[in-house]
Every structure is written in structure tokens, then in C-alpha cells.
Amino acid sequence: MAGKVYLVGAGPGDARLITLKGLDCLEKGDVIVYDRLANPSLLKRTKPGAEKIYVGKRTDRHTMKQEHINQLLVDLALEGKTVVRLKGGDPTIFGRVGEEAELLRKHGIPYEIVPGITAAISVPAYAGIPVTHRDMASSVSIITGHESPDKLDQSINWEKVTNATGTLVFMMGVANIGHISRQLIHYGRPPETPVALIRWGTRAEQETLIGTLADIERKVREADFKPPAVTVVGEVVSQREQLKWAESLPLFGKRILVTRSRSQASELVRGIEELGGEPYEFPVIDIVMPEGRELADTDEALAQLERYDWVFFTSVNGVEYFFSHLERLGKDVRGLHKARIAAVGPATQAALRQRGIAAEGLPGKFQAEGLMDTYGSELQPGQHVLLPRGDLARAWLPAALRERGLTVTDAVMYRTVPAGEADDELLKMLEKGRIHAVTFTSSSTVTNLLAALSAMGVVDPAAALRGTEIACIGPVTANTAKEAGLNVSILAEEATIDSLLQSLCAWKERSAPAE
């Protein structure tokens, strides 16, 4: 029985601009056939084991000819697979979807066309250029600019196109910008007509070049402006100075590697996106339940909640897994009726508050050392302390408590295990300097990223990261990074995601060229 093919528009580049239906298709596909303009982050949204086949095209090189792509979709579907053909932008706007769909229909293979947000409209919008405007342009034409000048002249009726609409949008026309400009001037557009070229719109590499029909070819040559780009011709280009918004965001133009576990990364990823940066997720750790003897020890520690005088939570994970264990054991927090509960850091405190516990917080820096500074005079010999922590937690705190004569139960609530599948796209971006900063939120993210890079064949992982800024959430993580040979240039003032984001913004501001 034949499978099904989904011809999906991936949007213009920003991974968040794919439609909900497109994402749904991506998550159920057995095979993803994708092109150059689809954001590689989208490939991380596929189901486990999904096959990925690259068929991207460039001006000077085609990985696979179109007729071979058409046949590939047929062959995969005839094997009974669910196939997602992932295309940049919208598949019906110069995406050759008609040819693919026609061959599928001839073979009786069911298919769906899933529209995407076209780059013709969205890329100018990200540059602050609306393609229509009440006072400037009431209509827009979308025109191919990709063919050779001779073919363009055969496919475009320049006399009619030049003045048919207020705004003209040429797709992939950088190489032919001189010919396009001359033809438009020849057929009636004033030489002073504004022109904008937007390269890699909606991505971290977004770059905009402004000129006129008279001088844009020279400016492209002088700037060595390369494709892929969208060209906008018309008075609407003048709106850019008032409406450009993406470039004003604090992290615009920066691609930031997020190494946290996928279950933890959402807050950091969302923060980077809201600040205009482009997060690239490569989780190098996973958080799991303890097993065997370790789990038995945890159960024993939680079987005697009423004996504890203190409970010190040092992380959000510690809070979440503590309550997961209580639920698994059929217990609740009332067993801690005599204990004082303290939290390291506002995020940990907030996680407890969500569970109905108003924990005592720490002033100043959010490290375990702060517990001793804050409660040192109240910690008495013979008191019992529960530390619900991970298996990689530092030994400093239980040792310091025991030195004061307290009885410490250091209970492992969760384990941190290595993650990180092979990611060729990440290696390419590191090699080409397209990862601008790497974030580390724990010592384990440092060691496991270096190990993951080594497993992918990188001979000197630390050297591979020297072209990027290294951002750490706290001094302990920073020390681990430095000991591994990394140059830590960004350090959060407080051990929180908000503080890490603020430090990234401050770095971006420092590195911005003077105007």
C-alpha cells in the first residue's frame, strides 16, 4: 500500500514561522526531503528514527535535479512511507510543487499541499518593509529573478510588469540585479525608485541593502552581496527607516547554542527568541530517574520525612523530581511539618511556590555557599538535613554541613546522563563561524558538549569553540569551562536564566559596531 506525501512550506527561515499543520506533518513523517532554505532547527522536530534526505539547490550547484526529486518522492511513497517534502517559503511560490504533485497523481499516490508563509511578504516585513501601503502601493507582483537574463526576458513581459503594480518583489534575483534594474528603467520606472535587497531574511544572517534602480547594481558589487535574497522595488522601501523592528531587538543577528536538556531548555530558548536572537538547540544532557541501589537509597531517605530539621533545595530539577518521588511513593509534603525549607535561587524558590511551599530564599549570589552564609548561626550539631539533589551535585555543601556536626542525607532525586545525537549541521555552523555564542547552564553541559563534539569526529573540541563566545550561568560552571580550555567571556551576575539572558544582551551591545 502506498504511503502519503505532504508538500510542506517551511516558511521563510525563522523556524517559528512554519504553520501548525506543517509542524504536525513534520512530526509524523517517516522521511523528510528538505531543501537549502528550510531552517535546520525544524529537523529536530521530527519523530525518532525519521530519515532525512537533503536535496538543496544553489545558484551554482544542485544536489539533486528536480526530476530526480520528483521520482524520489514517488519511490519513497511506494514503499509505504509517510513523506514530508519540506520547502522554504510557500511551496506554490516558485517551489515547483506542481511538478512534484503531478507525478504523484500519475502514480496514484495521495498527497497534500500545506501552504507556508512566503518569503516574498515575510522577509520584507522583517526588514521593516510592508509590500503594500495605503499611500504608496495598493498592489504587489511576485516575479522570479532566478533565471538567466535571456530566460527572464522570455518569461517576463517587462512592458506590462514594470508598471502593473506599485510594488515588485523579485525572488532570488541578486545575480541579475543589474539586468532587472535596467529593464525596469527602460520600461518606465524612474531611476530613483527605491530598491531593497534582503539577504537570509528572518535568520540570524539577515542583512539589508538599500539603493535605487540607478545604483543598486554598483552597491551589490561593492558590498559583495550574495544570495539568497529577496528584492523589493517600489516606494514602500522608504518605510524601512520608520518601521524596521527586527534589527532593534537586543540579540538580533546572533545565533546562540543552547546545550540544556530539551525538557529544561524552553525558558532559555523562548527568551533568546523574544530578544531577537536565533537559538539552536543541541541538548547534551538528559535528566532521568535514578535506578537500582540509588533509587532504593532515595526511597529510604523519603520514608522518614518527619525526622528532618532542614531541607535545602538547590535546583528546580531537585524540586520537580522530589515531588515526583513523593507521588510515586504515595506520600505528600506534610511529612516535612517540622522542617525549615530553603531554596537556592529565585527559580528554585518559584518552583516550590508553585507546589504551595513558601520556601526561604537566599540574598545575594545564588550558590550553595550562600546557605552557609545565611543560616550558619542556626545550623546546630545533631540536626538532620535533607539535600534533594542530582547525582552530579558538588560535594562541598554536604561536607560543610557535616563539619558542623549535622547529620546529612544527600538524596539523589535525578541523574544527569549524556545526550546529543550526531549533528552535521552544528559542525558546519561552528566551522563557518555561524554559532556566535554557546550557553552553559551547568558543569555537565560543558563536559558533555565537548564529549559530543569529540564523538562526532572533532579532534580538538575546545579549539572548535574558540570562534564563539562562551556564556556561563555561574562561577562553578565557568570554572569547569576554563579548566576545559574554553575562554569564558560572558558570565551571568546571578545563577538564573534571566540573568544569563541579560548578560547575552550586554555582550551584544558591547560588540555592536559604533554608528
Side-chain angles (χ1 to χ4, degrees):
M1 181 178 176
K4 185 170 183 176
V5 178
Y6 294 92
L7 304 162
V8 177
D14 186 331
R16 294 170 295 167
L17 293 178
I18 192 171
T19 65
L20 289 174
K21 184 169 184 178
L23 192 59
D24 179 65
C25 294
L26 197 59
E27 290 172 346
K28 66 185 178 185
D30 299 314
V31 186
I32 314 299
V33 180
Y34 65 102
D35 69 22
R36 180 184 177 221
L37 298 182
N39 190 316
S41 294
L42 291 173
L43 300 179
K44 297 178 180 294
R45 303 298 296 269
T46 60
K47 68 181 182 182
E51 183 182 1
K52 303 175 183 71
I53 301 174
Y54 177 65
V55 294
K57 302 174 184 177
R58 286 174 37 174
T59 304
D60 58 346
R61 175 170 52 85
H62 286 193
T63 300
M64 187 179 293
K65 292 183 177 180
Q66 184 62 46
E67 54 267 30
H68 294 161
I69 296 173
N70 301 346
Q71 189 60 48
L72 175 65
L73 300 178
V74 170
D75 294 342
L76 291 169
L78 289 176
E79 294 175 10
K81 296 178 178 178
T82 298
V83 183
V84 176
R85 173 68 172 106
L86 191 65
K87 298 169 170 282
D90 179 276
T92 66
I93 304 293
F94 306 123
R96 304 186 73 169
V97 73
E99 299 167 51
E100 295 172 351
E102 184 178 359
L103 193 61
L104 293 169
R105 183 187 60 78
K106 286 180 179 179
H107 285 80
I109 296 169
Y111 65 88
E112 290 186 28
I113 298 175
V114 182
I117 299 175
T118 175
I121 296 171
S122 54
V123 166
Y126 266 57
I129 301 171
V131 294
T132 63
H133 188 281
R134 181 177 180 180
D135 299 324
M136 299 178 184
S138 59
S139 56
V140 58
S141 296
I142 302 174
I143 310 157
T144 182
H146 187 55
E147 304 287 357
S148 66
D150 289 344
K151 288 185 178 180
L152 281 179
D153 290 344
Q154 292 174 12
S155 61
I156 298 173
N157 187 327
W158 290 105
E159 186 174 3
K160 291 183 178 180
V161 163
T162 298
N163 296 296
T165 57
T167 302
L168 306 178
V169 178
F170 290 87
M171 307 295 288
M172 306 297 288
V174 175
N176 296 318
I177 190 63
H179 181 73
I180 291 170
S181 298
R182 286 188 290 273
Q183 289 291 70
L184 294 177
I185 292 172
H186 176 75
Y187 285 99
R189 283 271 174 150
E192 63 273 16
T193 301
V195 180
L197 273 69
I198 308 108
R199 179 177 185 270
W200 283 114
T202 80
R203 298 294 304 277
E205 291 84 7
Q206 178 175 315
E207 182 181 358
T208 302
L209 182 67
I210 300 295
T212 66
L213 287 176
D215 64 16
I216 193 64
E217 181 182 20
R218 174 180 57 80
K219 288 188 173 183
V220 166
R221 186 171 57 252
E222 290 175 351
D224 194 25
F225 202 84
K226 300 292 186 184
V230 170
T231 302
V232 184
V233 179
E235 295 303 320
V236 292
V237 172
S238 64
Q239 290 292 295
R240 170 172 159 75
E241 285 306 309
Q242 290 77 37
L243 301 183
K244 60 182 179 182
W245 58 274
E247 289 104 317
S248 65
L249 295 173
L251 290 179
F252 170 78
K254 299 300 182 182
R255 182 176 290 110
I256 299 169
L257 187 67
V258 176
T259 57
R260 288 192 115 189
S261 69
R262 185 156 281 119
S263 62
Q264 296 177 295
S266 59
E267 183 184 0
L268 180 55
V269 167
R270 187 167 54 249
I272 293 169
E273 289 173 338
E274 289 177 353
L275 293 166
E278 183 178 323
Y280 189 86
E281 290 187 72
F282 183 67
V284 297
I285 59 171
D286 201 3
I287 308 298
V288 299
M289 281 278 193
E291 297 178 346
R293 181 69 255 171
E294 213 165 40
L295 182 60
D297 290 344
T298 298
D299 291 351
E300 183 179 348
L302 298 181
Q304 43 192 338
L305 295 177
E306 65 284 342
R307 73 190 288 244
Y308 299 115
D309 301 291
W310 297 89
V311 183
F312 292 140
F313 287 96
T314 57
S315 70
V316 173
N317 281 331
V319 174
E320 293 177 351
Y321 276 84
F322 173 80
F323 282 94
S324 293
H325 286 293
L326 288 189
E327 183 176 356
R328 179 178 58 82
L329 296 171
K331 293 180 171 293
D332 62 45
V333 77
R334 288 176 296 179
L336 294 174
H337 58 87
K338 78 167 189 174
R340 289 178 66 178
I341 300 175
V344 176
T348 307
Q349 196 172 11
L352 286 165
R353 170 62 75 180
Q354 290 174 355
R355 301 283 188 169
I357 298 175
E360 301 177 45
L362 301 181
K365 303 292 183 181
F366 308 127
Q367 294 179 252
E369 285 82 350
L371 289 169
M372 304 304 294
D373 295 337
T374 303
Y375 301 110
S377 62
E378 301 175 68
L379 297 169
Q380 301 298 321
Q383 291 180 329
H384 291 268
V385 180
L386 174 64
L387 298 179
R389 309 196 300 166
D391 64 312
L392 300 182
R394 290 188 298 147
W396 182 88
L397 180 58
L401 290 167
R402 290 183 179 121
E403 284 181 7
R404 290 175 176 262
L406 285 83
T407 301
V408 179
T409 301
D410 195 2
V412 174
M413 298 289 112
Y414 61 92
R415 292 187 59 81
T416 301
V417 298
E421 300 178 354
D423 190 331
D424 291 340
E425 189 65 31
L426 173 60
L427 295 182
K428 290 176 188 175
M429 288 192 290
L430 284 172
E431 183 181 348
K432 295 179 180 179
R434 293 177 180 170
I435 296 292
H436 304 110
V438 180
T439 57
F440 292 121
T441 54
S442 66
S443 292
S444 59
T445 58
V446 177
T447 55
N448 286 342
L449 175 60
L450 296 174
L453 291 175
S454 179
M456 287 190 283
V458 178
V459 177
D460 188 346
L465 297 176
R466 283 181 193 139
T468 69
E469 304 291 331
I470 303 299
C472 294
I473 202 168
V476 174
T477 302
N479 287 338
T480 302
K482 291 173 183 175
E483 290 170 1
L486 302 179
N487 179 28
V488 178
S489 52
I490 304 168
L491 180 61
E493 291 187 8
E494 298 175 346
T496 66
I497 295 300
D498 281 345
S499 183
L500 180 60
L501 289 167
Q502 291 170 15
S503 298
L504 286 166
C505 291
W507 152 68
K508 165 67 185 326
E509 188 174 1
R510 289 194 306 270
S511 62
E515 295 185 2

